[in-house]
Amino acid sequence: MAQWCQLQMLDSKYLEQVDQLYDDSFPMDIRQYLSKWIESIDWDTVAVQDSLATVRFHDLLAQLDDQHSRFALENNFLLQHNIRKIKRNLQDRFQEDPVHMAMIISRNLKEEQKILDNAKSTEREGDGAVLAMVVEKQKLDNKVKEMRDRVQVVDQNIKNLEDLQDEYNFKVNTLKNRENEMNGMTAKELEKEKMIVARMCFELKGKRQDVVNQLSDLLNVTQALLSDLISEELPEWKQRQQTACIGGPPNACVDQLQNWFTAVAESLQQVRQHLKKLQELEQKFTYESDPITQKKGFLEARALDLFKNLLSNSLVVERQPCMPTHPQRPLVLKTGVQFTVKLRFLVKLQEFNYQLKVKAVFDKDVTEKKGFRKFNILGTNTKVMNMEESNGSLAAEFRHLQLKEQKVAGNRTNEGPLIVTEELHSLSFESELQLNQSGLNIKLEALSLPVVVISNVCQLPSGWASILWYNMLTTEPKNLKFFLSPPPAKWCQLSDVLSWQFSVTNRGLNQEQLNMLADKLLGVKAQRNPEGLIPWTKFCKQQSANEKSFPFWLWIEGILDLIKRHLLSLWNDGSIMGFISKEREKFLLSDKCPGTFLLRFSESSKEGAITFTWIEHDMHDKPIFHSVEPYTKKELGAVSLPDIIRTYKVMAAENIPENPLRFLYPNIPKDKAFGKYYPKPSETPEPMDVENTEKSGYMKTELISVSEVHPSRLQDNMMPMSPDDYKALEQYVSPRDIDAVTNNLLGFAEQFDDQMSADFEEQN
């Protein structure tokens, strides 16, 4: 199996390692589109030969041109644009140094292999279920090879049988003619010839029996392989697709499944051709107890049944229903908004091209229920399946479907037992395949995973929560009553799903963050038990009538939206700790030097907000913690978080405003952590340069976050030195020593004041 295919079957923790191998210099898109070609080249050799590297560089550009042409045939403008951009970037980077590109590819392939090897070693330690799956796939490849080898053996033996039968017929006819000649053979010669013909007849009967037995054995092997595909591999692929739909590892092995299905179909087609050939041989020569006569009908019926069983299970939903406006939230559809869905026929035979007409049907087998909404499908709901230019698969994509709710007479009220976002619907696809050779019609049907239909985009988060819960807990595609009594989820299940939601930002949740969420859902007393149960109501329902309370999921959803809109780079580079309790936050900061801060998400904001907490020490070296009021999308839309951290000031009466933030936890200097996100200095005139203002006539301004506090909340009441003085002093003396000296001076000043007061009282 190809290395790239094996990698995509690994767990998310390994896929994150793969993701880190690729960046803008050599994007993962190239690895995906050109995986077979890339793995067919010896890049180690290319990387040490300039001339060969130049050739391979231009070969790669040609491969990208071919891929661009495929996207053009599919009218996929976005992917065409991406391919053109990738090609331009490659030319800019490697046109003069193609060896560098070869070295990158060579290194990445080796690193990929290391990731695979690491996963295999993990499997040997008992944590390699995914690698076990890879081993199973290799076993299936071996079974397919065995089946094909048997087909070739039977094919050759039938040819040998035909040659032997032709020779036998020739001998028999020759013997008859010579017997009738006037000057025929002597009795002894005649007897000898008859003995030769008899031996040939015996050999012929034996070979006929052998071929019939071989065909029977071949069908046994094919039936076992077909059973593996239909009862194990296909359900497992559908389950992996479910997982991929809710953010899990991508399910990229449909091509492999298609190869297996097609191989079985081709073998069964050849078996049927073999049986036709045996029928021809039988018509030319037969005898009593002829195995062809006895077994032909049974073998034909068995081969046809296997073929029908294969075809009836070959129509699958390759890409589940999804609105193009929300590609990471499939299975949630909004009325009046177009959605797409793609089907594939896993048996890729040329004779089926343009023979399958598929029709989309909504809620086909749903009985009418009170309060259950009904919808009509708008747009072209029939498609003919044809071979795709890009990969040759037999597919049909519905791109312009919409749903419209059927109007109910009178004032419609949803009196059903379920709210809109818990109401599940089905989308089925029907077709009929006519086998010209046998005159049989085979009905085909594929069913999408259940969908949630919303009428307003504000329902999308709750609808997505329903999709997550359903696909996390069941593999049954027809259980539309699931939310009448939704089962609870184990924390070990939900923790993976929650992490996957953040993986769309390229960084999932680490164990520290998951621990905080476990405590929030299960309670601290549960001690983060992996088997701990979380009810649906705890996950997605408001727990009290308090206006300030809100469902756990909507809190997570608000944070996800905040990250995607304003914090993506900071989240991906690990600057944001995010999910951490206030108690844990104080514990982590307590032994750090003053000015150390960390970033966490607010637990009191439904819309998503982020705050930072920093530590100071009082004169007795007791830690004091300060947290700023959380920043929401509104504030972050005006000023970026790195800018807020850069310019943040604390101001108390008569004190010079100063920035208390110095180190990002655990000890990263603030400017080192966030400097790359600061705005680059422009060459425009200084804001206060009134002699040379900009054309607009205005002086530039800058938004700065300032927290005003009472002087008693600061660590001292002394007028601090200026920021420039402090910065100069900091080059020679550590911040902790500065604080210690300041505290000692403070203590001395207080003692001096007390002594002076006592002396004054004695004198008076």
Side-chain angles (χ1 to χ4, degrees):
M1 185 184 297
Q3 180 170 300
W4 188 243
C5 187
Q6 291 184 54
L7 285 167
Q8 292 179 81
M9 294 164 66
L10 298 179
D11 193 29
S12 56
K13 62 182 178 182
Y14 298 112
L15 292 174
E16 288 179 10
Q17 296 175 31
V18 176
D19 181 67
Q20 293 172 8
L21 298 177
Y22 295 92
D23 54 25
D24 291 341
S25 65
F26 193 83
M28 191 183 290
D29 307 60
I30 302 177
R31 185 68 176 96
Q32 171 73 23
Y33 299 139
L34 309 182
S35 59
K36 291 183 179 178
W37 180 79
I38 287 175
E39 292 179 30
S40 68
I41 305 296
D42 180 3
W43 293 101
D44 289 345
T45 303
V46 177
V48 296
Q49 296 184 24
D50 290 352
S51 59
L52 185 56
T54 302
V55 171
R56 292 306 180 206
F57 174 71
H58 290 289
D59 287 347
L60 188 143
L61 296 181
Q63 292 283 336
L64 289 177
D65 288 337
D66 292 343
Q67 190 65 42
H68 180 274
S69 300
R70 297 188 189 101
F71 289 145
L73 291 171
E74 297 174 13
N75 295 320
N76 197 323
F77 176 76
L78 178 61
L79 292 180
Q80 290 179 64
H81 168 78
N82 291 344
I83 284 290
R84 285 197 299 268
K85 184 178 179 181
I86 288 171
K87 182 179 176 181
R88 285 196 301 270
N89 290 341
L90 286 178
Q91 288 173 319
D92 291 342
R93 286 189 173 93
F94 304 121
Q95 185 83 45
E96 303 301 324
D97 189 11
V99 169
H100 185 206
M101 184 197 74
M103 292 171 66
I104 290 175
I105 299 175
S106 175
R107 181 203 66 198
N108 286 356
L109 289 175
K110 290 176 181 176
E111 290 300 320
E112 288 177 2
Q113 188 59 53
K114 287 181 182 178
I115 293 171
L116 277 175
D117 293 341
N118 183 31
K120 289 177 182 178
S121 65
T122 304
E123 182 215 0
R124 287 193 291 270
E125 295 169 5
D127 186 28
V130 177
L131 257 296
M133 184 176 67
V134 173
V135 173
E136 288 300 316
K137 300 300 174 286
Q138 292 173 340
K139 288 181 180 178
L140 267 176
D141 283 338
N142 293 336
K143 289 182 179 180
V144 168
K145 184 178 183 304
E146 179 190 358
M147 178 186 66
R148 284 175 164 162
D149 290 344
R150 285 176 177 267
V151 168
Q152 296 304 316
V153 169
V154 171
D155 187 65
Q156 186 59 50
N157 287 343
I158 288 179
K159 290 179 180 177
N160 294 339
L161 177 63
E162 183 179 19
D163 292 341
L164 181 61
Q165 183 166 316
D166 288 343
E167 185 180 357
Y168 172 76
N169 289 336
F170 176 77
K171 287 280 188 182
V172 169
N173 292 330
T174 300
L175 183 60
K176 287 181 180 179
N177 292 334
R178 296 184 69 178
E179 280 182 327
N180 296 329
E181 289 178 1
M182 294 297 294
N183 298 319
M185 297 180 291
T186 64
K188 189 175 181 180
E189 291 175 335
L190 182 61
E191 188 63 28
K192 183 178 179 181
E193 284 295 323
K194 285 183 177 181
M195 287 292 292
I196 293 173
V197 170
R199 281 198 299 270
M200 289 185 67
C201 182
F202 181 78
E203 184 182 357
L204 181 61
K205 291 179 179 180
K207 285 191 176 295
R208 278 197 171 194
Q209 186 65 56
D210 290 343
V211 167
V212 169
N213 290 341
Q214 288 169 357
L215 279 172
S216 182
D217 292 341
L218 173 57
L219 289 177
N220 289 338
V221 170
T222 305
Q223 183 175 5
L225 177 56
L226 182 57
S227 177
D228 287 343
L229 292 176
I230 293 175
S231 62
E232 294 181 20
E233 292 304 319
L234 185 58
E236 286 179 10
W237 176 82
K238 290 180 178 180
Q239 189 171 355
R240 291 197 300 273
Q241 186 186 53
Q242 273 189 280
T243 301
C245 279
I246 58 175
N251 185 30
C253 293
V254 66
D255 289 339
Q256 181 64 72
L257 201 60
Q258 174 184 276
N259 292 340
W260 290 331
F261 269 70
T262 303
V264 173
E266 289 171 342
S267 295
L268 287 172
Q269 290 283 65
Q270 287 178 284
V271 167
R272 297 174 72 195
Q273 293 299 320
H274 291 157
L275 290 170
K276 284 185 178 180
K277 191 64 181 177
L278 290 182
Q279 186 176 7
E280 293 176 8
L281 295 178
E282 179 200 22
Q283 290 171 351
K284 294 178 180 179
F285 171 72
T286 187
Y287 49 89
E288 188 177 352
S289 301
D290 186 348
I292 297 178
T293 306
Q294 293 177 337
K295 299 283 187 165
K296 177 187 62 178
F298 171 74
L299 294 175
E300 286 177 345
R302 189 178 175 196
L304 184 59
D305 285 343
L306 291 175
F307 196 54
K308 287 166 57 179
N309 190 21
L310 175 72
L311 296 179
S312 61
N313 286 280
S314 294
L315 186 63
V316 297
V317 179
E318 178 181 351
R319 192 164 62 243
Q320 294 291 332
C322 182
M323 296 185 293
T325 52
H326 296 83
Q328 295 170 343
R329 297 285 170 94
L331 303 171
V332 181
L333 309 178
K334 182 179 177 296
T335 53
V337 175
Q338 290 185 353
F339 65 91
T340 65
V341 59
K342 184 177 181 181
L343 281 83
R344 186 185 290 207
F345 196 63
L346 295 175
V347 176
K348 189 179 75 173
L349 296 180
Q350 186 63 39
E351 62 194 79
F352 295 150
N353 197 18
Y354 296 104
Q355 296 301 309
L356 289 169
K357 186 177 183 180
V358 184
K359 180 180 180 181
V361 183
F362 199 77
D363 282 341
K364 174 188 174 187
D365 298 321
V366 176
T367 55
E368 190 168 337
K369 293 178 289 187
K370 187 176 182 180
F372 188 81
R373 298 170 300 159
K374 297 198 299 185
F375 299 89
N376 294 324
I377 292 185
L378 305 181
T380 306
N381 69 331
T382 57
K383 284 278 185 179
V384 175
M385 304 191 82
N386 61 285
M387 298 283 190
E388 290 188 326
E389 292 291 336
S390 58
N391 57 15
S393 63
L394 192 59
E397 184 171 9
F398 294 83
R399 296 185 179 180
H400 306 291
L401 297 179
Q402 291 185 42
L403 295 176
K404 182 178 181 181
E405 186 174 354
Q406 295 181 12
K407 293 183 178 180
V408 179
N411 295 326
R412 180 195 175 279
T413 57
N414 189 358
E415 300 175 357
L418 297 173
I419 61 175
V420 166
T421 54
E422 293 178 350
E423 192 180 273
L424 300 178
H425 299 266
S426 69
L427 187 61
S428 56
F429 302 89
E430 303 173 337
S431 185
E432 193 171 293
L433 180 62
Q434 185 173 2
L435 296 179
N436 296 327
Q437 300 167 338
S438 57
L440 291 177
N441 290 338
I442 301 175
K443 292 189 179 297
L444 307 174
E445 183 176 21
L447 198 65
S448 79
L449 291 168
V451 300
V452 170
V453 183
I454 60 176
S455 55
N456 192 302
V457 74
C458 68
Q459 298 168 324
L460 181 61
S462 296
W464 181 241
S466 297
I467 295 300
L468 293 178
W469 206 260
Y470 183 94
N471 290 288
M472 174 174 57
L473 296 177
T474 181
T475 58
E476 172 54 54
K478 297 183 180 180
N479 187 9
L480 303 185
K481 299 179 181 179
F482 178 83
F483 283 104
L484 288 176
S485 180
K490 295 180 181 179
W491 171 242
C492 59
Q493 296 172 305
L494 185 56
S495 60
D496 283 341
V497 173
L498 288 174
S499 186
W500 293 340
Q501 304 318 297
F502 288 84
S503 293
V504 298
T505 65
N506 294 330
R507 176 191 165 204
L509 300 179
N510 61 33
Q511 195 57 52
E512 179 89 23
Q513 294 162 333
L514 289 171
N515 287 344
M516 182 270 189
L517 297 179
D519 291 341
K520 194 173 182 67
L521 283 170
L522 295 171
V524 178
K525 292 182 180 179
Q527 298 181 338
R528 303 158 189 165
N529 179 10
E531 299 298 311
L533 297 178
I534 298 101
W536 166 245
T537 52
K538 184 78 176 268
F539 179 72
C540 200
K541 300 283 187 179
Q542 190 159 328
Q543 296 298 299
S544 69
N546 186 349
E547 292 183 0
K548 292 185 178 180
S549 71
F550 42 84
F552 172 85
W553 169 251
L554 293 188
W555 173 62
I556 293 289
E557 177 72 14
I559 290 171
L560 276 168
D561 191 51
L562 183 75
I563 291 173
K564 292 174 185 176
R565 290 176 184 269
H566 303 293
L567 306 172
L568 190 58
S569 296
L570 294 177
W571 174 257
N572 285 338
D573 71 14
S575 298
I576 299 174
M577 189 165 290
F579 296 104
I580 181 172
S581 67
K582 294 178 182 178
E583 295 75 15
R584 179 68 176 165
E585 174 185 66
K586 291 180 179 179
F587 174 79
L588 293 177
L589 290 174
S590 60
D591 63 344
K592 299 302 175 184
C593 54
T596 302
F597 66 99
L598 56 77
L599 304 170
R600 66 173 175 84
F601 298 121
S602 168
E603 296 182 57
S604 59
S605 173
K606 175 183 175 182
E607 302 300 324
I610 190 167
T611 183
F612 47 79
T613 299
W614 72 93
I615 184 174
E616 293 178 354
H617 292 89
D618 63 12
M619 64 183 66
H620 304 294
D621 206 28
K622 180 181 177 182
I624 302 173
F625 304 94
H626 301 283
S627 295
V628 72
E629 184 176 348
Y631 295 93
T632 64
K633 298 183 185 77
K634 181 179 179 181
E635 289 84 17
L636 295 176
V639 185
S640 70
L641 187 60
D643 252 11
I644 290 172
I645 293 170
R646 177 178 66 91
T647 61
Y648 178 73
K649 298 288 189 293
V650 171
M651 181 176 68
E654 299 181 357
N655 281 32
I656 298 174
E658 61 177 6
N659 191 332
L661 309 177
R662 293 162 51 198
F663 300 101
L664 177 66
Y665 180 88
N667 56 4
I668 307 172
K670 176 187 63 180
D671 291 339
K672 182 178 180 181
F674 301 102
K676 57 187 173 184
Y677 303 116
Y678 294 163
K680 296 180 179 179
S682 61
E683 297 180 359
T684 56
E686 290 295 322
M688 296 302 293
D689 187 359
V690 295
E691 300 294 328
N692 189 18
T693 57
E694 296 184 30
K695 293 181 180 180
S696 64
Y698 294 109
M699 291 182 291
K700 299 183 74 175
T701 60
E702 185 175 27
L703 294 175
I704 298 176
S705 294
V706 178
S707 294
E708 187 173 359
V709 298
H710 191 274
S712 62
R713 292 190 59 191
L714 295 178
Q715 63 180 352
D716 62 72
N717 294 324
M718 296 178 64
M719 290 285 288
M721 66 186 74
S722 71
D724 290 339
D725 292 341
Y726 184 88
K727 190 172 183 180
L729 181 61
E730 196 178 26
Q731 294 179 0
Y732 305 98
V733 183
S734 72
R736 183 177 287 275
D737 291 340
I738 295 175
D739 292 334
V741 171
T742 305
N743 290 336
N744 290 335
L745 288 173
L746 248 178
F748 175 77
E750 289 178 353
Q751 293 175 7
F752 179 77
D753 288 342
D754 293 341
Q755 184 63 45
M756 289 295 291
S757 298
D759 292 345
F760 179 78
E761 291 175 359
E762 288 177 2
Q763 292 174 6
N764 292 283

